[in-house]
């Protein structure tokens, strides 16, 4: 069965510092997508960043970047220059190309310390 | 562009009562999803519609949950009768199309259901 594991239930980082959220997944597929979603306290989930498994280059979106290690089935999110508005639950998610169903991890709650 | 709308935002009911949630997706989005998010967990897909047809309802507890999207736009999710374990946030999401590329999923604010 395909699973997504986020081993850090909570993390804290000082404002302006860098933090890395971990995610591992289990799959026998070779063609899939990985996502990081952000869910602020208002609960409206938004997509932060997306990675296609066939691309070796790590995706980046402004202060957000990923470290995608396909062989290790690891997909971590790095947030640089952390801001107070980054405080939220972050969900790692896996999307097999053939299945059309996103599988979410349990999330990591990120606190930003002023 | 208006986002995904959901109502109500909060609902408290007694067990064995019925409840219904409403979702209005982003205009033009063909695909609509209902997720259940239990406290401390990630969202779990309950049902996926493509226009007004069901694509996947394999994780929908069909003995008590039902959903419809009659005209391929708005959707309702119903629970009848509710159980304590149904307490969760119910998220609606929509996307232009199926598949991960054409389709970023846009989420609504959710309905928080408490069953007493």
């Amino acid at each position: 069965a395909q699973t997504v594991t986020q081993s850090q239930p909570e993390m804290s980082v000082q404002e302006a510092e860098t933090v890395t959220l971990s995610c591992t997944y289990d799959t026998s597929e070779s063609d899939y997508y990985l996502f990081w979603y952000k869910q602020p306290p208002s609960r409206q989930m938004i997509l932060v960043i997306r990675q296609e498994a066939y691309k070796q280059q790590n995706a980046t979106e402004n202060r957000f970047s990923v470290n995608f290690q396909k062989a290790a089935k690891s997909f971590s999110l790095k947030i640089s220059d952390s801001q107070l508005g980054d405080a939220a639950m972050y969900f790692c998610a896996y999307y097999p190309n053939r299945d059309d169903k996103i599988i979410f991890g349990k999330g990591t709650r990120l606190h930003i310390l002023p | 562009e208006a986002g995904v709308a959901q109502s109500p935002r909060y609902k408290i009911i007694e067990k064995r009562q019925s409840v219904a949630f409403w979702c209005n997706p982003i205009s033009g989005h063909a695909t609509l999803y209902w997720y259940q998010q239990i406290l401390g967990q990630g969202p779990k897909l309950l049902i996926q519609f493509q226009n007004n047809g069901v694509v996947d309802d394999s994780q929908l507890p069909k003995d008590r949950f039902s959903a419809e999207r009659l005209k391929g736009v708005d959707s309702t999710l119903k629970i009848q009768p509710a159980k304590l374990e149904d307490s969760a946030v119910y998220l609606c999401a929509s996307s232009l199309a199926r598949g991960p590329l054409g389709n970023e999923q846009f989420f609504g604010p959710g309905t928080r259901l408490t069953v007493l």
Side-chain angles (χ1 to χ4, degrees), chain A residues 12-19 81-84 111-114:
Chain A
S12 297
V13 64
Q14 209 73 35
E15 195 176 2
E17 296 294 308
T18 295
V19 64
D81 185 26
S82 298
Q83 301 174 0
L84 294 177
H111 303 278
I112 310 296
L113 306 173

Side-chain angles (χ1 to χ4, degrees), chain A residues 33 35 37 39 42-47 50 52 54 91 95 97 99-107, chain B residues 4 9 35 37 40-43 45 48 56 58-59 89 91 98-101 103-105 107-109 112:
Chain A
Y33 297 78
F35 306 96
Y37 279 88
Q39 191 176 42
S42 67
R43 305 202 77 84
Q44 196 138 5
M45 191 118 66
I46 56 172
L47 180 66
R50 166 172 44 208
E52 292 92 335
Y54 64 85
F91 293 97
Y95 190 119
N97 201 15
D99 199 13
D100 205 26
K101 182 189 301 183
I102 292 181
I103 299 168
F104 288 88
K106 290 190 173 183
Chain B
V4 176
R9 292 295 310 275
Y35 290 89
Q37 186 177 15
Q41 298 184 20
L45 181 69
Q48 177 183 346
D56 184 345
S58 57
Q59 298 190 98
V89 175
L91 297 169
R98 295 177 64 191
L101 279 186
N103 107 358
E104 177 180 341
Q105 289 190 27
F107 285 80
R112 181 185 293 277

Side-chain angles (χ1 to χ4, degrees), chain B residues 9 43 54 74 99:
Chain B
R9 292 295 310 275
V54 175
D74 293 7

Side-chain angles (χ1 to χ4, degrees), chain A residues 10-73:
Chain A
E10 286 194 69
M11 293 191 72
S12 297
V13 64
Q14 209 73 35
E15 195 176 2
E17 296 294 308
T18 295
V19 64
T20 299
L21 310 184
S22 301
C23 173
T24 58
Y25 57 95
D26 186 24
T27 184
S28 57
E29 305 283 337
S30 59
D31 187 13
Y32 53 87
Y33 297 78
L34 295 162
F35 306 96
W36 279 98
Y37 279 88
K38 172 185 177 182
Q39 191 176 42
S42 67
R43 305 202 77 84
Q44 196 138 5
M45 191 118 66
I46 56 172
L47 180 66
V48 174
I49 199 164
R50 166 172 44 208
Q51 174 80 41
E52 292 92 335
Y54 64 85
K55 287 188 177 179
Q56 292 188 340
Q57 186 173 6
N58 289 324
T60 62
E61 288 286 344
N62 301 314
R63 298 182 296 106
F64 298 86
S65 62
V66 299
N67 183 2
F68 173 48
Q69 302 288 329
K70 191 172 184 179
K73 297 179 183 174

Side-chain angles (χ1 to χ4, degrees), chain B:
Chain B
E1 178 183 82
V4 176
Q6 289 188 248
S7 69
R9 292 295 310 275
Y10 304 91
K11 190 74 177 177
I12 300 174
I13 61 172
E14 304 261 335
K15 61 183 179 184
R16 292 188 288 274
Q17 284 187 322
S18 302
V19 64
F21 312 127
W22 174 82
C23 173
N24 188 336
I26 293 173
S27 177
H29 280 195
T31 313
L32 185 146
Y33 313 78
W34 282 103
Y35 290 89
Q36 181 191 58
Q37 186 177 15
I38 292 173
L39 186 65
Q41 298 184 20
K44 181 185 83 170
L45 181 69
L46 291 175
I47 188 167
Q48 177 183 346
F49 292 93
Q50 179 71 12
N51 296 310
N52 61 350
V54 175
V55 172
D56 184 345
D57 63 358
S58 57
Q59 298 190 98
L60 187 73
K62 298 181 188 63
D63 57 334
R64 298 183 300 105
F65 286 64
S66 64
E68 60 184 11
R69 193 184 183 200
L70 289 175
K71 296 182 179 178
V73 181
D74 293 7
S75 176
T76 56
L77 176 70
K78 295 179 182 177
I79 308 175
Q80 181 180 5
K83 292 185 175 181
L84 296 177
E85 58 261 36
D86 298 333
S87 294
V89 175
Y90 290 85
L91 297 169
C92 180
S94 71
S95 62
L96 270 175
R98 295 177 64 191
L101 279 186
N103 107 358
E104 177 180 341
Q105 289 190 27
F106 293 83
F107 285 80
T111 297
R112 181 185 293 277
L113 173 67
T114 302
V115 182
L116 303 176

